[in-house]
Amino acid sequence: MIGLIQLMQWASHYSIVIMMLVFVAIVIGAYWPTRKAEMERRGRIPLEDDV
């Protein structure tokens, strides 16, 4: 039980670092060079109105 409390305190203390790492991972995943065509195709969806 003490280990869980210590883990929660550590996570609370370093939560900004953890969230920054998650954000950087999302940005890197979204802008990875091999995904460029997919991202551009999805970005053009609002511009290609088929109605």
Side-chain angles (χ1 to χ4, degrees):
M1 189 68 171
I2 293 173
L4 179 61
I5 293 171
Q6 290 175 343
L7 178 64
M8 289 175 60
Q9 288 175 342
W10 181 87
S12 173
H13 186 69
Y14 291 104
S15 63
I16 189 72
V17 174
I18 294 168
M19 293 307 294
M20 185 63 146
L21 290 174
V22 169
F23 176 76
V24 169
I26 290 171
V27 169
I28 288 173
Y31 289 104
W32 199 256
T34 57
R35 296 186 56 164
K36 181 180 180 183
E38 179 185 351
M39 293 300 287
E40 288 200 12
R41 182 177 51 85
R42 291 185 183 198
R44 295 197 55 78
I45 289 174
L47 303 174
E48 298 171 352
D49 192 12
D50 292 333
V51 177

